[in-house]
Amino acid sequence: MNLEQIKEYIKENKELSLLDIKEKFNLSESEIKVLKPFLITFGIPLKTVNEIHSICEECPLNNSCKKKSEKDLGCCN
Amino acid sequence: MNKGHDQSQDHESSNTNVLTLDTGQNQNIEISIIGNPNVGKTSLFNILTGAKQYVANWPGVTVEKKVGTFKYKDATFKLVDLPGVYTLSSKSEDEKVAKDYIINKNYEIVILVADALNLESSMFLLLQLLEMNVNIILAINAIDEAKEKGRIIVPSPIIKTLNIPVVLTSARTGEGIDELLEVIYKYSLSKTKSRVKTRIKYPPNIDKFIQSFMELASNYPEIKINYSNYLENNWLPVYFLEFGNEDLNLPKSFLKELETLFDLDNLRAEYTKWKLDFISYLVSSSIINEGIDWSLRDILDHVLTHKVLGILIYIFAMFAVFSLTFNLAQPLSDLLELAFTSAGNYLSKVIPIPWLNSLVVEGVIGGVGGVLVFIPQIFILFFFLGFLEESGYLPRAAFLVDRIARSFGLSGRSFMSIILGFGCNVPAIISTKTIANKKERLALILSLPFASCSAKLPVYILLIGTFFSSNAALVLLLIYLSSIVLVLVSSKFLQRFITQSEDIPFIIELPRFRMPTFKNLAIYTWNRGKHFLQKAGGIILVATIIIWALSFFPNFGQDINSSYAAGIGKVFEPLTKHLGWDWRINTGLVFGIAAKEVVVSSYSTLFNVGEGSLSFALQNVLTPASALALIFFVLAYVPCFATLATIKSETNSWKWPIFTLFYTTVIAYLIANVVFFIGGIFI
Ligand SMILES: Nc1nc2c(ncn2[C@@H]2O[C@H](COP(=O)(O)OP(=O)(O)O)[C@@H](O)[C@H]2O)c(=O)[nH]1
Ligand SMILES: [Mg+2]
C-alpha cells in the first residue's frame, strides 16, 4: 500500500468513494479499513453518508435549532 | 491525575489485578467512551448507564458529549460519551471536542470501543491514545456480528504487545458486558502509579527527533506554558510530526531551528510508514477471517452504487415501497374513514345548535378527520423508509444522488440536505451549515423548499387516491423524482448568478448493510408518525377551525359561495380558472401555507361533505389533468412558516424568505401550467 500515491490520486480526483480507491489500488477490505484514519491525517476528510433525520428531537442540529420552542407550529413542518 | 484514590503505595505487576480498595472513596469516578463513528459507543453507554437514547444505524448521532452515571459494586462512575472520531486532531469539530477532552485528563480511564468488523480502523486511534499515555480499556464490540460473519478476533497479541486490557462485547446480545464492568472496576480503581505503562518503540530516527524536539522546546518558556497538556509524555513532537503545525502554531524561531536539524518531510513519511506497518502487524496477528465471502457484500455495494444500474434499482425500490404503502394502507384507511363518517353522522343528529353542529361535524371531524384517515399510509410509509434507511440502503441511494448532484455544481454534502428535506425542510436548511462554499450554500437554501416534505404526503395521497388509484405508486414516484430534479435544477439556475470557488477533496464512506431490528424500526416509525399526530391536534386543528369559521360566516352557513372563505379564493380565480381550480381549491392552498396538511382538511370542510364523498366531490370539480397540476403546485409552492423563518435565520436577512415566497410560487405556477398542458395531452 503506497500512501503517497493514494494521497495524490485523491487530491487529483476530488470526491471519491472508498470503493473507487479500493478498486484503483487493488486493496483488500482490511487494508481499506486501515487506510481510513491515515487519509484523515492527510487532511482528506471522510464523509460518512449519514442518517436521514426528519424529526426535531433526532435531528443532528437539534441543539442549535432555534425553531424548537415553536413546537406547536410544527418545527419540522 | 485523578483525585481520591491513589493514596496506597501498593504495587502490582499485572494491570488487571486489584488491590484493597478504599471504600467510600470510589465516588464519581470519571471514565469516558471514545471510538470511531458507528461502533456502538452510544449502545454501550445506554447499557451501562441505562439512559434512554435514540440508537441508529448510522454514524454521527452523538454530536454533543453525553454524560450518565452508573454503580458497580461499591463504586459510582460518571460516564462520558464522546463523539465518534478516527483520529485526535483538530480537523473537525468532533475531533476537537474529543481531543480537548482526552488531553485535559480529568478522567481515570478511557474505554476505546472498536467494531469487531472494522477493528482495523480503530487501531490508529488506539495507538494515538497510547502515545498520549492514556489508560485504555479496549472494548471490541459487535462481536455477535463478527461471529456470524466468520470473523474471529484474537485479543492476546494486542494485550501482550500494547499491555492493555481487552474485552469482547456485544451491545446487542449483552455478551461481555459483565466482564467489561469488572475490568472497568478493577482497572479504574487500581492505583494509577501501578499500572504498567506501555512504551511505544519508535524507529531510532523518530526517537532522536522526539528527544531533540523536547530539548529544544525546553529553551522556549512560551512552549512550556502554552502546550503543557501536549508536553506530558512527549506528545507534542509526535503530534507535530503527524499533523504539522497548522493548529499548533509553534513559535517561528523554534520551527526554524528544528528545520535546520531535521528533514521534516522525510521524517514524517518515516513515522507514517512505521505506524502503518505497526498497525498492519497488529491487524494481521489478531484478526482471522474464516474464508467468508466478503466479495458478496462488495458485489452488492458495487451494483447498488453503479451509475446506471444503481439508479434503476433505487427507482424500483422506491416504487416497491410506494406500492406496498398504498396497498397495505388502503383497507385500514377505508376503515378509519368509515369510523369518522359514522361519528360525524351520529354527532350531526345529537348536536342541536346549528353553528356548533357545523363546527364539530364539518369543521373538526370533517377537516381534521380528513387528515387523520391517512394515518395508515403515513405510518406504513415511514416503516418501509425506516427499513431502507436502517439497513444501509438509503445512504447508498443518497450516494447516487450525490454523483448526480455534483454535475449540477453542488458539493457532496448537499445531497444529504435534499434527502433530509424529504422529512422536513427546516433541518435540511440548517444542515447546509456544513457546506463551506457560501454561494453554493445560498443557492441550495433557496432551492430546498422544493424537496417534498412529509407534510405534503396527505395532499398527494388524497389526490392520487381520487384520480390515479390504478397507478398510485407510479405517480408518487414521479412526484419524488421531480422533487429531486427541481432542487438540483433550481440550485444550478441560481448559481448561474454566482461565481464558484474551489472545493477540497474528500472521501465518501458508506455504512455497512445491517438487518434492522423490529424494535428500532418501531421506534423510527413512531417518532416520525407521532409528529404527524401532534400536528393534527395542533396547527391543523386550529387552521381547520379558522377555515370553518370563514366559510360559515357572514351568512351562517346558508351560502358558502358568498362566505369570507370564498372571497379569499375568488381573488385568485382569474389565475387558476384555466387550470380548472375554483375558489375552494385556491382557499385550501392559501391556508396550506400554515401547514401543508391543512390543504386536505380545508377541502373536507369547504366541499362541505362527509369524508365518504370528498373524493366524489373532487372528481366533480377537477379533471385528472387539473388534479395532477394541483399536486405539482403543492410540491413546489410557498414553504411553511417554519421553513421561511429558518431561511431568515440562516441567511440573516428578510430579503431571502421574501424572495423564496415569490420564487417558489412563480415556479410552482409555471410547473402547474406545464403539467396541466402535458397532462391534458396524455391523460
Ligand atoms: N449486531 C450488533 N449491532 C450493534 C452492536 N452495538 C451497536 N450496534 C448497532 O450499531 C449501530 C450504531 O450504534 P451506536 O451505539 O449508535 O454507535 P455510535 O455511533 O458509536 O454511538 C446501531 O444500529 C446499533 O444497534 C453490537 O454489539 N452488535
Ligand atoms: Mg453515538
Side-chain angles (χ1 to χ4, degrees):
Chain A
M1 183 158 40
N2 187 328
L3 287 174
E4 283 304 311
Q5 267 178 13
I6 296 175
K7 190 158 105 184
E8 284 313 306
Y9 180 70
I10 294 168
K11 293 213 162 134
E12 273 162 33
N13 288 281
K14 299 267 154 80
E15 298 169 15
L16 295 165
S17 82
L18 283 176
L19 218 68
D20 296 328
I21 295 167
K22 194 177 163 209
E23 274 164 23
K24 170 82 187 168
F25 292 93
N26 201 9
L27 301 175
S28 73
E29 185 78 17
S30 203
E31 283 172 315
I32 276 286
K33 289 174 190 166
V34 170
L35 183 64
K36 274 197 250 175
F38 284 94
L39 293 181
I40 296 170
T41 63
F42 295 156
I44 300 164
L46 204 66
K47 295 191 177 168
T48 306
V49 177
N50 225 318
E51 180 176 10
I52 292 112
H53 295 274
S54 51
I55 296 291
C56 279
E57 34 221 308
E58 294 148 29
C59 173
L61 306 136
N62 191 11
N63 295 308
S64 57
C65 179
K66 289 184 203 108
K67 304 280 120 26
K68 239 191 330 193
S69 50
E70 302 168 22
K71 265 260 153 75
D72 283 348
L73 239 173
C75 70
C76 296
N77 253 324
Chain B
M1 60 181 250
N2 198 37
K3 325 96 210 167
H5 33 78
D6 53 1
Q7 297 96 324
S8 163
Q9 297 299 309
D10 297 310
H11 280 253
E12 56 177 354
S13 51
S14 148
N15 49 1
T16 44
N17 288 340
V18 200
L19 319 158
T20 20
L21 304 168
D22 300 321
T23 35
Q25 295 278 17
N26 307 332
Q27 299 301 312
N28 245 342
I29 302 162
E30 185 162 332
I31 59 180
S32 66
I33 291 186
I34 197 167
N36 296 169
N38 213 27
V39 295
K41 295 182 297 300
T42 305
S43 304
L44 284 176
F45 178 87
N46 289 348
I47 290 184
L48 292 175
T49 63
K52 240 194 130 190
Q53 248 171 331
Y54 184 75
V55 179
N57 197 352
W58 329 109
V61 180
T62 317
V63 176
E64 293 276 300
K65 88 169 184 190
K66 297 196 179 68
V67 183
T69 56
F70 67 95
K71 270 177 109 78
Y72 183 73
K73 295 192 173 162
D74 62 340
T76 57
F77 294 91
K78 181 178 159 200
L79 186 61
V80 179
D81 187 14
L82 293 170
V85 292
Y86 285 98
T87 70
L88 292 174
S89 69
S90 299
K91 301 231 188 256
S92 70
E93 283 291 300
D94 284 354
E95 284 192 1
K96 222 189 184 97
V97 169
K99 186 185 84 176
D100 288 347
Y101 177 86
I102 295 289
I103 209 171
N104 284 327
K105 298 222 163 151
N106 293 319
Y107 49 85
E108 188 66 22
I109 45 170
V110 170
I111 304 167
L112 172 62
V113 183
D115 176 354
L117 284 177
N118 290 304
L119 184 58
E120 295 94 332
S121 301
S122 299
M123 289 299 181
F124 194 102
L125 190 57
L126 174 62
L127 283 192
Q128 219 178 354
L129 290 167
L130 287 174
E131 287 177 323
M132 292 167 85
N133 217 357
V134 172
N135 294 310
I136 313 170
I137 296 171
L138 176 61
I140 302 179
N141 190 44
I143 200 73
D144 58 313
E145 245 180 316
K147 277 181 190 156
E148 228 170 76
K149 304 214 159 121
R151 173 173 258 223
I152 297 172
I153 307 292
V154 187
S156 51
I158 299 176
I159 298 174
K160 283 189 193 121
T161 316
L162 303 177
N163 212 348
I164 53 167
V166 178
V167 189
L168 304 181
T169 63
S170 165
R172 182 157 295 176
T173 65
E175 182 183 340
I177 302 296
D178 291 338
E179 191 191 341
L180 179 64
L181 278 167
E182 192 62 31
V183 173
I184 291 172
Y185 181 75
K186 285 181 176 168
Y187 197 39
S188 58
L189 298 188
S190 69
K191 304 305 162 279
T192 330
K193 287 172 208 142
S194 64
R195 281 184 205 124
V196 180
K197 289 287 170 183
T198 316
R199 271 273 132 69
I200 295 202
K201 266 216 178 69
Y202 295 110
N205 278 342
I206 306 293
D207 261 336
K208 216 164 78 202
F209 169 77
I210 294 174
Q211 228 172 28
S212 312
F213 184 107
M214 293 303 282
E215 272 164 25
L216 208 58
S218 62
N219 301 331
Y220 287 80
E222 67 261 47
I223 294 185
K224 255 190 216 151
I225 297 164
N226 294 336
Y227 304 95
S228 56
N229 281 336
Y230 288 84
L231 285 172
E232 201 192 327
N233 314 310
N234 302 346
W235 197 49
L236 188 61
V238 177
Y239 187 90
F240 172 76
L241 207 50
E242 193 143 41
F243 298 101
N245 195 36
E246 240 167 84
D247 51 84
L248 281 176
N249 277 318
L250 293 165
K252 282 214 171 67
S253 51
F254 173 78
L255 288 179
K256 262 210 180 103
E257 264 191 272
L258 208 60
E259 271 160 19
T260 56
L261 292 173
F262 296 95
D263 178 350
L264 290 175
D265 285 339
N266 261 338
L267 215 56
R268 180 163 298 138
E270 189 177 343
Y271 174 76
T272 310
K273 171 100 181 29
W274 164 80
K275 203 164 203 171
L276 184 63
D277 289 344
F278 191 35
I279 289 176
S280 302
Y281 158 74
L282 284 174
V283 163
S284 62
S285 60
S286 56
I287 301 172
I288 302 169
N289 287 319
E290 278 191 328
I292 349 106
D293 194 11
W294 287 105
S295 57
L296 182 70
R297 248 183 37 209
D298 287 355
I299 292 168
L300 210 57
D301 245 339
H302 203 89
V303 171
L304 291 178
T305 56
H306 187 270
K307 273 183 209 129
V308 182
L309 212 57
I311 289 177
L312 292 177
I313 294 174
Y314 172 62
I315 291 173
F316 180 78
M318 294 312 280
F319 177 76
V321 166
F322 292 147
S323 335
L324 275 172
T325 303
F326 275 108
N327 292 335
L328 292 178
Q330 202 53 54
L332 294 170
S333 192
D334 289 345
L335 223 61
L336 270 178
E337 204 169 301
L338 200 70
F340 280 119
T341 316
S342 328
N345 285 342
Y346 172 75
L347 286 172
S348 74
K349 282 181 204 121
V350 292
I351 301 177
I353 312 161
W355 69 265
L356 188 65
N357 189 311
S358 170
L359 169 64
V360 173
V361 178
E362 277 142 27
V364 178
I365 297 192
V368 180
V371 177
L372 287 179
V373 293
F374 297 116
I375 287 175
Q377 279 92 341
I378 294 206
F379 274 75
I380 291 175
L381 183 67
F382 283 143
F383 184 85
F384 286 122
L385 286 181
F387 182 87
L388 289 185
E389 183 175 325
E390 296 264 311
S391 68
Y393 177 68
L394 227 48
R396 278 165 180 75
F399 172 72
L400 282 171
V401 181
D402 165 55
R403 280 200 180 156
I404 302 170
R406 273 184 251 157
S407 54
F408 283 87
L410 290 171
S411 82
R413 281 238 156 168
S414 58
F415 71 94
M416 254 326 289
S417 308
I418 299 178
I419 304 282
L420 252 165
F422 285 163
C424 169
N425 288 341
V426 170
I429 287 169
I430 300 170
S431 75
T432 60
K433 274 204 175 85
T434 55
I435 294 171
N437 185 326
K438 280 211 177 88
K439 289 167 176 180
E440 179 194 321
R441 180 174 170 225
L442 183 61
L444 187 62
I445 288 180
L446 300 178
S447 305
L448 275 174
F450 294 132
S452 178
C453 74
S454 59
K456 294 170 186 167
L457 260 177
V459 187
Y460 301 154
I461 297 172
L462 172 70
L463 292 172
I464 291 174
T466 304
F467 293 94
F468 309 102
S469 54
S470 48
N471 291 315
L474 205 64
V475 176
L476 197 54
L477 182 66
L478 180 73
I479 295 169
Y480 274 85
L481 294 180
S482 309
S483 166
I484 295 176
V485 172
L486 251 172
V487 178
L488 294 178
V489 172
S490 163
S491 307
K492 180 86 175 174
F493 169 73
L494 293 173
Q495 277 189 56
R496 288 185 137 248
F497 308 99
I498 290 164
T499 45
Q500 193 62 16
S501 67
E502 201 191 339
D503 42 300
I504 37 164
F506 66 82
I507 287 289
I508 293 157
E509 186 193 22
L510 299 170
R512 69 165 177 262
F513 290 112
R514 274 201 167 116
M515 194 64 191
T517 61
F518 186 80
K519 190 179 151 215
N520 271 357
L521 278 183
I523 294 173
Y524 178 105
T525 308
W526 171 243
N527 278 335
R528 280 156 183 76
K530 184 179 67 185
H531 187 64
F532 173 71
L533 294 179
Q534 284 166 345
K535 270 172 92 182
I539 187 161
I540 297 173
L541 178 64
V542 172
T544 306
I545 291 174
I546 293 173
I547 290 164
W548 170 83
L550 289 172
S551 66
F552 194 74
F553 298 107
N555 37 31
F556 299 93
Q558 295 310 310
D559 178 21
I560 195 168
N561 283 310
S562 57
S563 65
Y564 294 129
I568 295 170
K570 280 180 176 156
V571 173
F572 299 97
E573 262 185 4
L575 285 170
T576 61
K577 218 173 197 143
H578 69 283
L579 295 170
W581 305 349
D582 69 4
W583 68 263
R584 286 171 293 199
I585 301 291
N586 298 345
T587 305
L589 290 174
V590 170
F591 283 92
I593 298 173
K596 292 295 175 321
E597 295 96 331
V598 173
V599 173
V600 170
S601 65
S602 63
Y603 287 169
S604 302
T605 305
L606 294 173
F607 284 95
N608 210 350
V609 289
E611 294 76 41
S613 43
L614 177 57
S615 289
F616 296 113
L618 282 171
Q619 274 169 347
N620 285 333
V621 176
L622 296 170
T623 65
S626 17
L628 198 62
L630 182 58
I631 288 176
F632 276 88
F633 187 82
V634 169
L635 161 64
Y637 90 117
V638 184
C640 65
F641 292 145
T643 303
L644 289 172
T646 312
I647 293 176
K648 197 250 152 195
S649 67
E650 290 302 306
T651 57
N652 266 328
S653 134
W654 278 110
K655 189 170 78 187
W656 295 117
I658 292 168
F659 170 82
T660 310
L661 211 71
F662 288 103
Y663 176 64
T664 51
T665 310
V666 169
I667 298 285
Y669 187 65
L670 287 177
I671 293 173
N673 278 285
V674 171
V675 168
F676 181 72
F677 178 73
I678 297 174
I681 298 169
F682 288 100
I683 308 173

